[in-house]
Amino acid sequence: MSDMAAECGSGNCDAWAARDPSGILSPYKFNRREVQSEDVSLRITHCGVCYADVIWTRNMFNDSIYPLVPGHEIAGVVTEVGADVKGFKVGDHVGVGVYVNSCQDCENCNSSLENHCSKCVVTYNSVDSDGTAAPLLCAGITVYTPMIRHNMNQPGKSLGVIGLGGLGHMAVKFGKAFGLKVTVFSTSESKREEAINLLGADNFVISSDENQMESLKSSLHLIIDTASGDHQFDPYLSLLKVGGVMVLLSFPSEIKVHPENLNLAARSLAGSVTGGTKDIQEMINFCAANNVYPDIEMIKIDYVNEALQRLINRDVRFRFVIDIENSFK
């Protein structure tokens, strides 16, 4: 076997994988198991690029398993279904998100919170229950779930959105579709045009401007925090109404909060990741009924390393999507 062939591996599936913490992706082959009685097999046509792909390809949480095939916003067409599968048939258009399996029998699974199952099998950097590699929708459901959980689908309420990337722009879109008053917080004035004129936000605030921040004190019901880097929390917590909630969707290295900003106004700081299958289907139905769609930049897979670097540099409007179908021809 040549060095190139060894590097690419062998198998029945084509992919691009990172081999080490450099995070550089290159062609890779691996074997997918035969379709079992409860499996659904699909031909992947498209896959979104998420900041989580940067985190795990570069081993930023020190738990990456190489070779690592990233990707967890997958769209495709069903090609085969197992004998016991209900609800899917060959030819259906389907999506795969952050996880692909769970125990199906615990308290969380029985409450449609499969994403919190202790035996949840993640789409990337994970091993399936039978010991094989796990298969390959994220931004939308990650912001939709906490908005529904905290009753923000009620017109007239006020929403704050920190960051205007893949997650943030979907939070703005859902907020406007729910009839909310939406304020976008950013460190970059260059985002104002996109926030107001493209996405329809009601207000845009530079988070480092103390006067602008002060003018919004105690005005927001919910804040969706999508900022990927380390940042302060107290300036945002003070903008919440009594009983307001700030939801953290990213993974900063630490959280520092002055107790006064929580206790004196009964505010809460909460966390959230993705969503259960029931919420995902509800979100897809809502998006279809209300024309809520992400703004994307379509790329071929051989551009993925440049795309990841642009994602780090915040140079994308607002989500890269890989045209898988036309990348492996």
Side-chain angles (χ1 to χ4, degrees):
M1 182 183 292
S2 69
D3 290 343
M4 178 63 74
E7 179 71 11
C8 289
S10 62
N12 58 17
C13 289
D14 291 309
W16 278 48
R19 278 32 176 231
D20 56 56
S22 71
I24 300 299
L25 302 178
S26 58
Y28 177 68
K29 287 181 177 289
F30 65 100
N31 275 311
R32 184 79 71 213
R33 66 167 181 248
E34 293 294 318
V35 173
Q36 306 296 305
S37 62
E38 296 184 338
D39 286 344
V40 175
S41 180
L42 65 145
R43 183 184 80 254
I44 297 173
T45 61
H46 299 85
C47 183
V49 180
C50 175
Y51 194 79
D53 299 328
V54 173
I55 292 174
W56 271 278
T57 56
R58 301 190 179 205
N59 197 28
M60 294 167 71
F61 285 175
N62 298 311
D63 64 353
S64 297
I65 305 168
Y66 297 102
L68 192 153
V69 178
H72 56 273
E73 288 187 320
I74 297 161
V77 180
V78 175
T79 57
E80 188 177 355
V81 297
D84 297 331
V85 170
K86 297 178 176 62
F88 297 95
K89 65 182 185 301
V90 173
D92 282 350
H93 291 261
V94 294
V96 178
V98 180
Y99 55 96
V100 294
N101 204 353
S102 67
C103 78
Q104 308 289 304
D105 196 37
C106 66
E107 179 182 1
N108 287 326
C109 286
N110 290 330
S111 301
S112 297
L113 296 171
E114 300 91 344
N115 53 308
H116 294 294
C117 173
S118 63
K119 297 180 180 178
C120 181
V121 178
V122 181
T123 310
Y124 55 95
N125 199 48
S126 187
V127 176
D128 211 343
S129 56
D130 66 353
T132 61
L136 297 181
L137 288 37
C138 172
I141 191 61
T142 299
V143 298
Y144 180 89
T145 295
M147 291 174 75
I148 296 298
R149 181 187 302 137
H150 297 289
N151 303 308
M152 289 300 287
N153 55 343
Q154 300 172 359
K157 285 189 171 183
S158 296
L159 171 71
V161 178
I162 303 174
L164 201 61
L167 274 68
H169 96 286
M170 288 306 299
V172 175
K173 290 191 174 216
F174 281 128
K176 296 311 298 177
F178 288 145
L180 308 180
K181 182 178 180 181
V182 180
T183 297
V184 171
F185 298 93
S186 178
T187 58
S188 174
E189 178 65 32
S190 65
K191 295 281 189 177
R192 181 183 297 273
E193 173 78 14
E194 296 172 351
I196 301 295
N197 295 330
L198 179 63
L199 300 175
D202 301 280
N203 196 9
F204 180 87
V205 170
I206 297 296
S207 54
S208 59
D209 189 315
E210 294 183 4
N211 291 330
Q212 291 185 43
M213 296 289 281
E214 179 70 23
S215 69
L216 290 173
K217 271 192 126 173
S218 304
S219 67
L220 303 174
H221 292 91
L222 184 78
I223 295 175
I224 294 287
D225 182 1
T226 75
S228 57
D230 288 343
H231 56 285
Q232 292 182 308
F233 288 82
D234 286 314
Y236 296 107
L237 287 168
S238 66
L239 307 184
L240 291 169
K241 290 176 176 284
V242 171
V245 181
M246 179 173 173
V247 180
L248 178 64
L249 302 182
S250 56
F251 295 86
S253 62
E254 64 177 3
I255 296 173
K256 288 185 177 180
V257 174
H258 196 293
E260 179 181 280
N261 280 321
L262 295 176
N263 298 347
L264 297 187
R267 300 175 177 119
S268 301
L269 178 61
S272 190
V273 291
T274 187
T277 53
K278 180 173 176 286
D279 284 342
I280 292 173
Q281 189 61 61
E282 287 181 358
M283 176 200 68
I284 291 172
N285 294 345
F286 180 86
C287 288
N290 294 275
N291 295 317
V292 178
Y293 306 117
D295 291 347
I296 67 166
E297 179 177 334
M298 192 78 75
I299 63 172
K300 294 287 185 66
I301 200 165
D302 59 7
Y303 186 73
V304 69
N305 290 306
E306 290 87 345
L308 289 171
Q309 188 57 52
R310 283 180 56 192
L311 182 57
I312 294 170
N313 297 338
R314 303 178 185 178
D315 177 26
V316 54
R317 202 174 98 177
F318 290 92
R319 201 70 156 181
F320 287 116
V321 172
I322 304 170
D323 181 354
I324 299 291
E325 193 168 39
N326 290 307
S327 290
F328 289 96
K329 287 184 174 179

Coordinates of all heavy atoms in Angstrom, one line a residue, residues 7 67 80-81 86 160 168 176 188 207 210 226 229 233 235 247 297 302 313:
E7 N -2.5 6.8 4.3 CA -3.0 8.0 4.9 C -4.5 8.2 4.8 O -5.2 8.6 5.7 CB -2.3 9.2 4.3 CG -2.7 10.5 4.9 CD -2.2 10.8 6.3 OE1 -1.4 10.0 6.8 OE2 -2.7 11.7 6.9
P67 N -8.2 9.1 13.9 CA -8.7 10.2 13.0 C -10.1 10.6 13.4 O -11.0 9.8 13.7 CB -8.6 9.5 11.7 CG -8.4 8.1 11.9 CD -8.0 7.8 13.3
E80 N -31.6 3.3 2.6 CA -32.0 1.9 3.1 C -32.5 2.1 4.5 O -32.0 2.9 5.3 CB -30.7 1.0 3.0 CG -31.0 -0.4 3.4 CD -29.8 -1.3 3.2 OE1 -28.7 -0.8 2.8 OE2 -29.9 -2.5 3.6
V81 N -33.5 1.2 4.9 CA -34.0 1.3 6.3 C -34.0 -0.2 6.8 O -34.2 -1.1 6.0 CB -35.4 1.9 6.4 CG1 -35.4 3.3 6.0 CG2 -36.4 1.1 5.5
K86 N -39.7 2.6 11.7 CA -41.0 3.1 11.4 C -40.8 4.6 11.2 O -40.0 5.3 11.9 CB -42.0 2.9 12.5 CG -42.3 1.4 12.7 CD -43.2 1.2 13.9 CE -43.6 -0.3 14.0 NZ -42.5 -1.1 14.3
G160 N -32.4 39.4 23.9 CA -31.1 39.8 23.6 C -30.3 38.7 23.0 O -30.4 37.5 23.4
G168 N -26.2 32.8 16.4 CA -26.8 34.1 16.7 C -27.8 34.6 15.6 O -28.8 35.1 15.9
K176 N -37.7 37.1 15.7 CA -38.6 37.9 14.9 C -39.8 37.1 14.4 O -40.9 37.6 14.4 CB -37.9 38.5 13.6 CG -36.8 39.5 13.9 CD -37.2 40.6 14.9 CE -38.3 41.4 14.4 NZ -38.7 42.4 15.3
S188 N -18.4 44.3 17.2 CA -18.0 44.9 15.9 C -19.1 45.7 15.3 O -20.2 45.2 15.0 CB -17.7 43.7 15.0 OG -17.4 44.2 13.7
S207 N -21.2 46.1 22.7 CA -21.2 45.7 24.1 C -20.2 46.4 24.9 O -20.3 46.4 26.1 CB -21.0 44.2 24.1 OG -19.9 43.8 23.4
E210 N -20.5 51.6 27.3 CA -21.2 51.5 28.6 C -22.5 52.3 28.5 O -23.5 51.9 29.2 CB -20.3 52.1 29.7 CG -19.1 51.2 30.0 CD -18.3 51.8 31.1 OE1 -18.7 52.8 31.7 OE2 -17.2 51.2 31.4
T226 N -24.2 33.4 22.5 CA -23.5 32.5 21.5 C -22.1 32.8 21.4 O -21.4 32.2 20.5 CB -24.2 32.6 20.1 OG1 -23.8 33.8 19.5 CG2 -25.7 32.6 20.2
G229 N -15.8 32.9 22.6 CA -14.6 33.2 23.4 C -14.9 33.6 24.8 O -16.1 33.7 25.2
F233 N -19.8 38.4 32.1 CA -21.2 38.0 32.2 C -22.0 39.1 32.9 O -23.2 39.3 32.6 CB -21.4 36.7 32.9 CG -20.9 35.5 32.1 CD1 -19.6 35.2 32.0 CD2 -21.8 34.8 31.4 CE1 -19.2 34.1 31.2 CE2 -21.4 33.7 30.6 CZ -20.1 33.4 30.5
P235 N -22.1 42.4 32.9 CA -22.7 43.5 32.1 C -24.0 43.1 31.4 O -24.9 43.9 31.2 CB -21.6 43.9 31.1 CG -20.3 43.5 31.7 CD -20.7 42.2 32.4
V247 N -28.9 32.5 28.8 CA -28.6 31.1 28.5 C -27.3 31.1 27.7 O -27.1 31.7 26.7 CB -29.8 30.5 27.6 CG1 -29.4 29.1 27.2 CG2 -31.1 30.6 28.3
E297 N -23.2 30.1 3.1 CA -22.2 30.2 2.0 C -21.9 28.8 1.6 O -21.3 28.0 2.4 CB -21.0 31.0 2.4 CG -19.9 31.0 1.3 CD -18.7 31.8 1.7 OE1 -18.8 32.7 2.6 OE2 -17.6 31.6 1.1
D302 N -13.2 20.5 -0.5 CA -11.7 20.8 -0.6 C -11.4 22.2 -0.1 O -10.2 22.6 0.0 CB -11.2 20.5 -2.0 CG -11.8 21.3 -3.1 OD1 -12.7 22.2 -2.8 OD2 -11.5 21.1 -4.3
N313 N -11.9 33.3 12.2 CA -11.7 34.7 12.0 C -13.0 35.5 12.0 O -13.1 36.7 11.7 CB -10.9 35.0 10.8 CG -9.5 34.4 10.8 OD1 -8.9 34.2 11.9 ND2 -8.9 34.2 9.7

